[in-house]
Amino acid sequence: MHCRWQSTDSPRYVYASTWSERHAAYACGLGTFGLCDGLITPLGKAVRVGSVVARLEVPPTPRPYSDHRAYCLFFAQGTCGECIARCPAGAISEAGHDKVKCRDHLNRTRAFVGEHYGFDGYGCGLCQTGVPCESGVPG
Ligand code: SF4
Ligand code: SF4
């Protein structure tokens, strides 16, 4: 099957993609975004989400929030911000998530992953662990 997913530069969002699993999950009522841009779900932020697009009618799942940042303590209560200190790249601040700093850090992990695990990959996600929203909706 032809893959139409692509990432592209965006004047407004630095770069963006033609499909986002997190945004699909948000639209489906599964969670809201945090200060670090991760999706906070009832199972927390340290999750993977996926989507299946089908041409069929099903009753919509209620969306239990009206604000796209409702589950993040920083936006909802002006507290927390613990993901800021978790980031080794200084990519998170009270201004939000710096995608360029985050991507630069992810790219630096490629050599480590290749050397230690023997495949072409990268990773981080430290901002999704050791924080109040790791395993559930905080507060
Ligand atoms: S760690 Fe705190 S500030 Fe960061 S996304 Fe989670 S709730 Fe929001
Ligand atoms: S994935 Fe890593 S580098 Fe990117 S914002 Fe989270 S902690 Fe920082």
Side-chain angles (χ1 to χ4, degrees):
M1 190 196 317
H2 177 61
C3 178
R4 291 192 288 184
W5 186 92
Q6 62 179 356
S7 178
T8 185
D9 291 338
S10 163
R12 189 168 175 188
Y13 300 110
V14 185
Y15 56 89
S17 61
T18 49
W19 185 259
S20 161
E21 304 292 7
R22 285 177 303 129
H23 286 77
Y26 162 76
C28 291
L30 293 177
T32 77
F33 297 92
L35 183 63
C36 71
D37 275 353
L39 189 79
I40 303 172
T41 77
L43 294 176
K45 196 167 57 173
V47 296
R48 290 280 185 187
V49 295
S51 57
V52 175
V53 179
R55 191 189 300 268
L56 55 85
E57 288 189 20
V58 293
T61 303
R63 197 184 295 169
Y65 39 76
S66 57
D67 186 292
H68 68 290
R69 290 166 164 169
Y71 292 166
C72 174
L73 294 174
F74 180 81
F75 293 113
Q77 300 179 15
T79 62
C80 192
E82 293 191 24
C83 50
I84 295 174
R86 290 288 293 159
C87 178
I92 307 173
S93 69
E94 293 193 354
H97 176 220
D98 186 320
K99 290 183 179 180
V100 174
K101 285 183 179 176
C102 178
R103 181 173 58 185
D104 288 348
H105 177 72
L106 291 176
N107 283 332
R108 285 194 292 272
T109 68
R110 288 184 184 280
F112 183 91
V113 170
E115 185 180 330
H116 289 81
Y117 301 112
F119 65 92
D120 181 21
Y122 60 91
C124 180
L126 287 172
C127 54
Q128 299 175 9
T129 61
V131 289
C133 57
E134 174 182 355
S135 303
V137 176

